[in-house]
Structure formats: C-alpha cells, structure tokens
Amino acid sequence: MRILIVDPEYLIAMDAERILDAAFDCEIEIAMSHDYQASLERRNFDVVLIDPDLIRRSEDAQKLRDSGAAIVFTTSLTEKISGILDRGSIAFAPKPFKDEKLVEAIRNAAGDPRHSAD
C-alpha cells in the first residue's frame, strides 16, 4: 500500500507517518501544500491523508478524485467536513491523532483486509 500524507504542519505529518509505518506494511511519502499535486502526478497512491484546508480550488479536488486514491481527511474541526461526511464517500481521522483511530481510518479507506494492522 502506498500512502501520501499532506499536512500544512510537517511535524503533524511526521506523527502520522510514525503511526502508519508501525501499523502497516506500506510506502509512505510526505508532501507539503505546495508540492502534493506534483506527488500525485508522479506516483500512484492507494490512500491520501490530507488536511481539507489544503484543497482550496475545485481543480485541487478534481486532481485528488482523478488520482484514484482513497481520501482520508484530517482536521480538528469536524464541522468543516460535516457535509462531506454525510455523503459517506470520504473517511475522516481527527486531529490530534489517536493511533487506533488513524489506523482504522486508513484501513477502512484502503478497503482491503490485507492492509490490516499487525
């Protein structure tokens, strides 16, 4: 499984990387807001873990959808994505991360029991 982590705070992205690296047999890439689109164009990912504040334009959202990756939004403000969650198509991992909640969100987004935690 390939996971792209995108967060405006590098230390938060590193925390997610630590949690996911311990839980899954996967490849993880961290990208920042200014370069995650290039990562999506350069490589295929199974899951994108991203702060929804970074999706500022409809073109950004379209590129995420076109990537074919499952999307897991991260935020400390659940009301920001409540409308999206009602659609049931996007997973959510609250910040600050709790290991088991983040792992569960990624596992559910990946939709493949072979990607389950050890």
Side-chain angles (χ1 to χ4, degrees):
M1 175 168 50
R2 291 188 187 115
I3 302 171
L4 177 63
I5 300 171
V6 187
D7 198 278
E9 300 292 330
Y10 194 74
L11 291 177
I12 292 173
M14 288 178 59
D15 187 39
E17 178 184 38
R18 174 193 60 78
I19 294 166
L20 298 176
D21 191 47
F24 297 101
D25 179 20
C26 61
E27 296 176 37
I28 300 172
E29 181 176 327
I30 293 176
M32 303 312 294
S33 59
H34 64 276
D35 64 355
Y36 81 92
Q37 295 289 346
S39 293
L40 287 173
E41 291 172 6
R42 184 178 64 250
R43 192 165 187 206
N44 291 325
F45 293 94
D46 299 299
V47 179
V48 176
L49 181 69
I50 187 167
D51 187 306
D53 286 340
L54 300 178
I55 303 168
R56 296 185 180 110
R57 303 172 306 164
S58 60
E59 295 85 17
D60 297 339
Q62 187 62 47
K63 285 183 181 180
L64 267 177
R65 283 191 294 273
D66 290 348
S67 76
I71 300 167
V72 178
F73 280 144
T74 64
T75 184
S76 57
L77 302 171
T78 55
E79 62 272 8
K80 281 188 173 183
I81 60 170
S82 62
I84 295 169
L85 289 176
D86 292 341
R87 295 182 204 145
S89 62
I90 297 174
F92 168 68
K95 289 181 192 177
F97 297 126
K98 291 187 176 167
D99 294 18
E100 64 279 357
K101 294 287 188 188
L102 180 57
V103 169
E104 179 183 0
I106 297 296
R107 184 183 300 125
N108 290 340
D112 187 340
R114 292 176 297 165
H115 298 306
S116 63
D118 295 329

mmCIF file of all heavy atoms in Angstrom, residues 2-6 29 31-32 35-50 55 59-71:
data_model
loop_
_atom_site.group_PDB
_atom_site.id
_atom_site.type_symbol
_atom_site.label_atom_id
_atom_site.label_comp_id
_atom_site.label_asym_id
_atom_site.label_seq_id
_atom_site.Cartn_x
_atom_site.Cartn_y
_atom_site.Cartn_z
ATOM 1 N N ARG A 2 0.502 2.214 -0.793
ATOM 2 C CA ARG A 2 1.221 3.498 -0.849
ATOM 3 C C ARG A 2 0.325 4.586 -0.259
ATOM 4 O O ARG A 2 -0.828 4.733 -0.666
ATOM 5 C CB ARG A 2 1.569 3.861 -2.281
ATOM 6 C CG ARG A 2 2.605 2.961 -2.879
ATOM 7 C CD ARG A 2 3.033 3.505 -4.241
ATOM 8 N NE ARG A 2 3.903 2.566 -4.868
ATOM 9 C CZ ARG A 2 3.632 1.905 -5.989
ATOM 10 N NH1 ARG A 2 2.505 2.139 -6.623
ATOM 11 N NH2 ARG A 2 4.489 1.062 -6.487
ATOM 12 N N ILE A 3 0.897 5.353 0.673
ATOM 13 C CA ILE A 3 0.143 6.403 1.354
ATOM 14 C C ILE A 3 0.859 7.730 1.164
ATOM 15 O O ILE A 3 2.060 7.834 1.388
ATOM 16 C CB ILE A 3 0.019 6.106 2.860
ATOM 17 C CG1 ILE A 3 -0.669 4.754 3.086
ATOM 18 C CG2 ILE A 3 -0.737 7.231 3.571
ATOM 19 C CD1 ILE A 3 -0.648 4.292 4.530
ATOM 20 N N LEU A 4 0.096 8.749 0.772
ATOM 21 C CA LEU A 4 0.600 10.114 0.692
ATOM 22 C C LEU A 4 0.005 10.891 1.855
ATOM 23 O O LEU A 4 -1.212 10.912 2.037
ATOM 24 C CB LEU A 4 0.204 10.781 -0.627
ATOM 25 C CG LEU A 4 0.611 12.249 -0.797
ATOM 26 C CD1 LEU A 4 2.139 12.392 -0.790
ATOM 27 C CD2 LEU A 4 0.018 12.827 -2.072
ATOM 28 N N ILE A 5 0.864 11.505 2.662
ATOM 29 C CA ILE A 5 0.429 12.320 3.790
ATOM 30 C C ILE A 5 0.677 13.777 3.433
ATOM 31 O O ILE A 5 1.797 14.158 3.104
ATOM 32 C CB ILE A 5 1.201 11.959 5.077
ATOM 33 C CG1 ILE A 5 0.981 10.492 5.435
ATOM 34 C CG2 ILE A 5 0.787 12.879 6.230
ATOM 35 C CD1 ILE A 5 1.885 9.995 6.561
ATOM 36 N N VAL A 6 -0.385 14.595 3.517
ATOM 37 C CA VAL A 6 -0.282 16.011 3.185
ATOM 38 C C VAL A 6 -0.853 16.818 4.353
ATOM 39 O O VAL A 6 -2.023 16.676 4.692
ATOM 40 C CB VAL A 6 -1.065 16.355 1.897
ATOM 41 C CG1 VAL A 6 -0.797 17.791 1.492
ATOM 42 C CG2 VAL A 6 -0.725 15.388 0.764
ATOM 43 N N GLU A 29 4.863 8.619 1.751
ATOM 44 C CA GLU A 29 5.506 9.838 1.282
ATOM 45 C C GLU A 29 4.819 11.015 1.957
ATOM 46 O O GLU A 29 3.600 11.041 2.076
ATOM 47 C CB GLU A 29 5.376 9.954 -0.235
ATOM 48 C CG GLU A 29 6.048 11.184 -0.814
ATOM 49 C CD GLU A 29 5.991 11.209 -2.333
ATOM 50 O OE1 GLU A 29 6.033 10.138 -2.972
ATOM 51 O OE2 GLU A 29 5.911 12.326 -2.885
ATOM 52 N N ALA A 31 4.170 15.074 1.769
ATOM 53 C CA ALA A 31 4.226 16.226 0.869
ATOM 54 C C ALA A 31 3.617 17.425 1.594
ATOM 55 O O ALA A 31 2.779 17.273 2.471
ATOM 56 C CB ALA A 31 3.461 15.942 -0.420
ATOM 57 N N MET A 32 4.060 18.567 1.207
ATOM 58 C CA MET A 32 3.541 19.799 1.788
ATOM 59 C C MET A 32 2.518 20.406 0.825
ATOM 60 O O MET A 32 2.378 19.970 -0.313
ATOM 61 C CB MET A 32 4.685 20.773 2.072
ATOM 62 C CG MET A 32 5.765 20.205 2.993
ATOM 63 S SD MET A 32 5.169 19.397 4.491
ATOM 64 C CE MET A 32 4.448 20.771 5.363
ATOM 65 N N ASP A 35 3.573 21.163 -2.781
ATOM 66 C CA ASP A 35 4.106 20.162 -3.711
ATOM 67 C C ASP A 35 3.319 18.856 -3.786
ATOM 68 O O ASP A 35 3.705 17.948 -4.504
ATOM 69 C CB ASP A 35 5.577 19.884 -3.412
ATOM 70 C CG ASP A 35 5.824 19.257 -2.049
ATOM 71 O OD1 ASP A 35 4.872 19.110 -1.265
ATOM 72 O OD2 ASP A 35 6.990 18.931 -1.771
ATOM 73 N N TYR A 36 2.190 18.753 -3.100
ATOM 74 C CA TYR A 36 1.481 17.478 -3.113
ATOM 75 C C TYR A 36 0.879 17.153 -4.484
ATOM 76 O O TYR A 36 0.782 15.983 -4.856
ATOM 77 C CB TYR A 36 0.426 17.400 -2.004
ATOM 78 C CG TYR A 36 -0.892 18.065 -2.277
ATOM 79 C CD1 TYR A 36 -1.950 17.349 -2.830
ATOM 80 C CD2 TYR A 36 -1.108 19.401 -1.965
ATOM 81 C CE1 TYR A 36 -3.171 17.952 -3.067
ATOM 82 C CE2 TYR A 36 -2.326 20.008 -2.196
ATOM 83 C CZ TYR A 36 -3.351 19.279 -2.745
ATOM 84 O OH TYR A 36 -4.555 19.878 -2.978
ATOM 85 N N GLN A 37 0.506 18.185 -5.256
ATOM 86 C CA GLN A 37 -0.031 17.926 -6.597
ATOM 87 C C GLN A 37 1.011 17.235 -7.475
ATOM 88 O O GLN A 37 0.688 16.325 -8.238
ATOM 89 C CB GLN A 37 -0.502 19.237 -7.240
ATOM 90 C CG GLN A 37 -1.664 19.889 -6.529
ATOM 91 C CD GLN A 37 -2.974 19.144 -6.710
ATOM 92 O OE1 GLN A 37 -3.116 18.269 -7.553
ATOM 93 N NE2 GLN A 37 -3.944 19.492 -5.902
ATOM 94 N N ALA A 38 2.255 17.644 -7.332
ATOM 95 C CA ALA A 38 3.332 17.002 -8.100
ATOM 96 C C ALA A 38 3.505 15.545 -7.674
ATOM 97 O O ALA A 38 3.761 14.675 -8.506
ATOM 98 C CB ALA A 38 4.639 17.775 -7.917
ATOM 99 N N SER A 39 3.359 15.279 -6.382
ATOM 100 C CA SER A 39 3.445 13.896 -5.903
ATOM 101 C C SER A 39 2.338 13.041 -6.513
ATOM 102 O O SER A 39 2.572 11.895 -6.902
ATOM 103 C CB SER A 39 3.351 13.848 -4.377
ATOM 104 O OG SER A 39 4.474 14.456 -3.782
ATOM 105 N N LEU A 40 1.133 13.599 -6.595
ATOM 106 C CA LEU A 40 0.012 12.864 -7.188
ATOM 107 C C LEU A 40 0.238 12.582 -8.667
ATOM 108 O O LEU A 40 -0.176 11.537 -9.175
ATOM 109 C CB LEU A 40 -1.291 13.651 -7.019
ATOM 110 C CG LEU A 40 -1.887 13.694 -5.619
ATOM 111 C CD1 LEU A 40 -3.070 14.653 -5.578
ATOM 112 C CD2 LEU A 40 -2.289 12.310 -5.146
ATOM 113 N N GLU A 41 0.886 13.511 -9.348
ATOM 114 C CA GLU A 41 1.155 13.312 -10.777
ATOM 115 C C GLU A 41 2.296 12.327 -11.011
ATOM 116 O O GLU A 41 2.304 11.615 -12.011
ATOM 117 C CB GLU A 41 1.486 14.651 -11.429
ATOM 118 C CG GLU A 41 0.295 15.584 -11.495
ATOM 119 C CD GLU A 41 0.668 16.984 -11.955
ATOM 120 O OE1 GLU A 41 1.833 17.219 -12.340
ATOM 121 O OE2 GLU A 41 -0.216 17.862 -11.901
ATOM 122 N N ARG A 42 3.243 12.286 -10.093
ATOM 123 C CA ARG A 42 4.437 11.475 -10.246
ATOM 124 C C ARG A 42 4.224 10.008 -9.878
ATOM 125 O O ARG A 42 4.898 9.125 -10.399
ATOM 126 C CB ARG A 42 5.552 12.083 -9.387
ATOM 127 C CG ARG A 42 6.894 11.415 -9.498
ATOM 128 C CD ARG A 42 7.981 12.088 -8.673
ATOM 129 N NE ARG A 42 7.689 12.021 -7.246
ATOM 130 C CZ ARG A 42 7.353 13.056 -6.477
ATOM 131 N NH1 ARG A 42 7.234 14.257 -6.997
ATOM 132 N NH2 ARG A 42 7.114 12.907 -5.194
ATOM 133 N N ARG A 43 3.262 9.741 -9.005
ATOM 134 C CA ARG A 43 3.157 8.402 -8.438
ATOM 135 C C ARG A 43 1.699 8.072 -8.120
ATOM 136 O O ARG A 43 0.909 8.951 -7.812
ATOM 137 C CB ARG A 43 3.969 8.392 -7.151
ATOM 138 C CG ARG A 43 4.205 7.081 -6.573
ATOM 139 C CD ARG A 43 5.313 7.194 -5.554
ATOM 140 N NE ARG A 43 5.638 5.862 -5.113
ATOM 141 C CZ ARG A 43 6.163 5.589 -3.959
ATOM 142 N NH1 ARG A 43 6.471 6.547 -3.128
ATOM 143 N NH2 ARG A 43 6.416 4.350 -3.632
ATOM 144 N N ASN A 44 1.366 6.800 -8.165
ATOM 145 C CA ASN A 44 0.033 6.348 -7.773
ATOM 146 C C ASN A 44 0.025 6.024 -6.286
ATOM 147 O O ASN A 44 0.940 5.364 -5.788
ATOM 148 C CB ASN A 44 -0.370 5.098 -8.556
ATOM 149 C CG ASN A 44 -0.612 5.396 -10.007
ATOM 150 O OD1 ASN A 44 -1.110 6.461 -10.352
ATOM 151 N ND2 ASN A 44 -0.251 4.467 -10.870
ATOM 152 N N PHE A 45 -1.002 6.474 -5.590
ATOM 153 C CA PHE A 45 -1.168 6.199 -4.170
ATOM 154 C C PHE A 45 -2.481 5.471 -3.950
ATOM 155 O O PHE A 45 -3.451 5.693 -4.673
ATOM 156 C CB PHE A 45 -1.162 7.507 -3.363
ATOM 157 C CG PHE A 45 0.168 8.205 -3.389
ATOM 158 C CD1 PHE A 45 0.423 9.193 -4.317
ATOM 159 C CD2 PHE A 45 1.174 7.848 -2.498
ATOM 160 C CE1 PHE A 45 1.653 9.832 -4.361
ATOM 161 C CE2 PHE A 45 2.400 8.475 -2.535
ATOM 162 C CZ PHE A 45 2.648 9.467 -3.471
ATOM 163 N N ASP A 46 -2.496 4.604 -2.943
ATOM 164 C CA ASP A 46 -3.721 3.916 -2.567
ATOM 165 C C ASP A 46 -4.580 4.800 -1.675
ATOM 166 O O ASP A 46 -5.805 4.763 -1.750
ATOM 167 C CB ASP A 46 -3.400 2.605 -1.837
ATOM 168 C CG ASP A 46 -2.604 1.670 -2.722
ATOM 169 O OD1 ASP A 46 -3.127 1.281 -3.781
ATOM 170 O OD2 ASP A 46 -1.455 1.344 -2.365
ATOM 171 N N VAL A 47 -3.917 5.577 -0.803
ATOM 172 C CA VAL A 47 -4.611 6.438 0.147
ATOM 173 C C VAL A 47 -3.893 7.779 0.216
ATOM 174 O O VAL A 47 -2.664 7.832 0.244
ATOM 175 C CB VAL A 47 -4.647 5.808 1.561
ATOM 176 C CG1 VAL A 47 -5.350 6.730 2.551
ATOM 177 C CG2 VAL A 47 -5.318 4.439 1.543
ATOM 178 N N VAL A 48 -4.673 8.865 0.270
ATOM 179 C CA VAL A 48 -4.137 10.199 0.517
ATOM 180 C C VAL A 48 -4.743 10.683 1.829
ATOM 181 O O VAL A 48 -5.966 10.779 1.958
ATOM 182 C CB VAL A 48 -4.465 11.183 -0.620
ATOM 183 C CG1 VAL A 48 -3.972 12.584 -0.268
ATOM 184 C CG2 VAL A 48 -3.853 10.717 -1.938
ATOM 185 N N LEU A 49 -3.881 10.950 2.792
ATOM 186 C CA LEU A 49 -4.264 11.505 4.087
ATOM 187 C C LEU A 49 -3.991 13.001 4.001
ATOM 188 O O LEU A 49 -2.837 13.405 3.869
ATOM 189 C CB LEU A 49 -3.434 10.854 5.193
ATOM 190 C CG LEU A 49 -3.694 11.276 6.628
ATOM 191 C CD1 LEU A 49 -5.054 10.784 7.094
ATOM 192 C CD2 LEU A 49 -2.598 10.742 7.536
ATOM 193 N N ILE A 50 -5.055 13.826 4.019
ATOM 194 C CA ILE A 50 -4.871 15.244 3.713
ATOM 195 C C ILE A 50 -5.761 16.126 4.585
ATOM 196 O O ILE A 50 -6.903 15.777 4.885
ATOM 197 C CB ILE A 50 -5.148 15.512 2.213
ATOM 198 C CG1 ILE A 50 -4.794 16.949 1.822
ATOM 199 C CG2 ILE A 50 -6.565 15.141 1.818
ATOM 200 C CD1 ILE A 50 -4.737 17.184 0.317
ATOM 201 N N ILE A 55 -7.244 22.012 0.225
ATOM 202 C CA ILE A 55 -7.987 21.895 -1.036
ATOM 203 C C ILE A 55 -8.754 23.194 -1.210
ATOM 204 O O ILE A 55 -9.867 23.356 -0.734
ATOM 205 C CB ILE A 55 -8.913 20.673 -1.010
ATOM 206 C CG1 ILE A 55 -8.086 19.424 -0.728
ATOM 207 C CG2 ILE A 55 -9.657 20.542 -2.327
ATOM 208 C CD1 ILE A 55 -8.897 18.209 -0.409
ATOM 209 N N GLU A 59 -10.106 22.680 -8.843
ATOM 210 C CA GLU A 59 -9.110 21.907 -9.591
ATOM 211 C C GLU A 59 -8.320 20.979 -8.660
ATOM 212 O O GLU A 59 -7.962 19.872 -9.043
ATOM 213 C CB GLU A 59 -8.124 22.831 -10.334
ATOM 214 C CG GLU A 59 -8.757 23.666 -11.418
ATOM 215 C CD GLU A 59 -9.363 24.972 -10.882
ATOM 216 O OE1 GLU A 59 -9.031 25.393 -9.749
ATOM 217 O OE2 GLU A 59 -10.184 25.562 -11.597
ATOM 218 N N ASP A 60 -8.063 21.446 -7.445
ATOM 219 C CA ASP A 60 -7.357 20.611 -6.462
ATOM 220 C C ASP A 60 -8.192 19.382 -6.111
ATOM 221 O O ASP A 60 -7.687 18.262 -6.070
ATOM 222 C CB ASP A 60 -7.055 21.392 -5.178
ATOM 223 C CG ASP A 60 -6.128 22.573 -5.403
ATOM 224 O OD1 ASP A 60 -5.395 22.584 -6.419
ATOM 225 O OD2 ASP A 60 -6.135 23.487 -4.559
ATOM 226 N N ALA A 61 -9.461 19.595 -5.868
ATOM 227 C CA ALA A 61 -10.364 18.490 -5.542
ATOM 228 C C ALA A 61 -10.461 17.521 -6.707
ATOM 229 O O ALA A 61 -10.463 16.298 -6.516
ATOM 230 C CB ALA A 61 -11.740 19.029 -5.166
ATOM 231 N N GLN A 62 -10.527 18.058 -7.923
ATOM 232 C CA GLN A 62 -10.628 17.194 -9.096
ATOM 233 C C GLN A 62 -9.375 16.337 -9.259
ATOM 234 O O GLN A 62 -9.464 15.151 -9.568
ATOM 235 C CB GLN A 62 -10.871 18.026 -10.362
ATOM 236 C CG GLN A 62 -11.155 17.180 -11.583
ATOM 237 C CD GLN A 62 -12.407 16.347 -11.431
ATOM 238 O OE1 GLN A 62 -13.446 16.835 -11.004
ATOM 239 N NE2 GLN A 62 -12.317 15.071 -11.763
ATOM 240 N N LYS A 63 -8.207 16.907 -9.040
ATOM 241 C CA LYS A 63 -6.962 16.136 -9.148
ATOM 242 C C LYS A 63 -6.918 15.030 -8.107
ATOM 243 O O LYS A 63 -6.446 13.930 -8.392
ATOM 244 C CB LYS A 63 -5.747 17.046 -9.026
ATOM 245 C CG LYS A 63 -5.489 17.853 -10.264
ATOM 246 C CD LYS A 63 -4.240 18.694 -10.133
ATOM 247 C CE LYS A 63 -4.021 19.513 -11.382
ATOM 248 N NZ LYS A 63 -2.849 20.348 -11.320
ATOM 249 N N LEU A 64 -7.414 15.309 -6.912
ATOM 250 C CA LEU A 64 -7.480 14.268 -5.887
ATOM 251 C C LEU A 64 -8.395 13.140 -6.345
ATOM 252 O O LEU A 64 -8.038 11.961 -6.246
ATOM 253 C CB LEU A 64 -7.997 14.840 -4.567
ATOM 254 C CG LEU A 64 -6.971 15.311 -3.565
ATOM 255 C CD1 LEU A 64 -7.660 15.922 -2.356
ATOM 256 C CD2 LEU A 64 -6.048 14.197 -3.143
ATOM 257 N N ARG A 65 -9.571 13.482 -6.833
ATOM 258 C CA ARG A 65 -10.508 12.458 -7.314
ATOM 259 C C ARG A 65 -9.907 11.670 -8.471
ATOM 260 O O ARG A 65 -10.026 10.446 -8.534
ATOM 261 C CB ARG A 65 -11.825 13.096 -7.742
ATOM 262 C CG ARG A 65 -12.728 13.476 -6.585
ATOM 263 C CD ARG A 65 -14.124 13.844 -7.066
ATOM 264 N NE ARG A 65 -14.137 15.061 -7.874
ATOM 265 C CZ ARG A 65 -14.249 16.294 -7.395
ATOM 266 N NH1 ARG A 65 -14.344 16.480 -6.105
ATOM 267 N NH2 ARG A 65 -14.265 17.331 -8.200
ATOM 268 N N ASP A 66 -9.272 12.375 -9.390
ATOM 269 C CA ASP A 66 -8.693 11.724 -10.564
ATOM 270 C C ASP A 66 -7.533 10.797 -10.214
ATOM 271 O O ASP A 66 -7.199 9.908 -10.993
ATOM 272 C CB ASP A 66 -8.215 12.769 -11.576
ATOM 273 C CG ASP A 66 -9.357 13.503 -12.248
ATOM 274 O OD1 ASP A 66 -10.528 13.067 -12.117
ATOM 275 O OD2 ASP A 66 -9.086 14.541 -12.894
ATOM 276 N N SER A 67 -6.915 11.010 -9.076
ATOM 277 C CA SER A 67 -5.776 10.167 -8.698
ATOM 278 C C SER A 67 -6.188 8.726 -8.436
ATOM 279 O O SER A 67 -5.361 7.820 -8.492
ATOM 280 C CB SER A 67 -5.085 10.732 -7.453
ATOM 281 O OG SER A 67 -5.845 10.457 -6.284
ATOM 282 N N GLY A 68 -7.464 8.514 -8.136
ATOM 283 C CA GLY A 68 -7.951 7.171 -7.867
ATOM 284 C C GLY A 68 -7.662 6.688 -6.457
ATOM 285 O O GLY A 68 -8.045 5.581 -6.081
ATOM 286 N N ALA A 69 -6.998 7.494 -5.661
ATOM 287 C CA ALA A 69 -6.675 7.120 -4.283
ATOM 288 C C ALA A 69 -7.886 7.331 -3.382
ATOM 289 O O ALA A 69 -8.705 8.219 -3.625
ATOM 290 C CB ALA A 69 -5.503 7.958 -3.767
ATOM 291 N N ALA A 70 -7.969 6.521 -2.340
ATOM 292 C CA ALA A 70 -8.963 6.774 -1.300
ATOM 293 C C ALA A 70 -8.501 8.008 -0.536
ATOM 294 O O ALA A 70 -7.304 8.222 -0.346
ATOM 295 C CB ALA A 70 -9.050 5.577 -0.372
ATOM 296 N N ILE A 71 -9.444 8.824 -0.095
ATOM 297 C CA ILE A 71 -9.108 10.073 0.585
ATOM 298 C C ILE A 71 -9.521 9.977 2.050
ATOM 299 O O ILE A 71 -10.647 9.588 2.362
ATOM 300 C CB ILE A 71 -9.815 11.266 -0.074
ATOM 301 C CG1 ILE A 71 -9.386 11.389 -1.534
ATOM 302 C CG2 ILE A 71 -9.515 12.555 0.685
ATOM 303 C CD1 ILE A 71 -10.243 12.325 -2.349
#
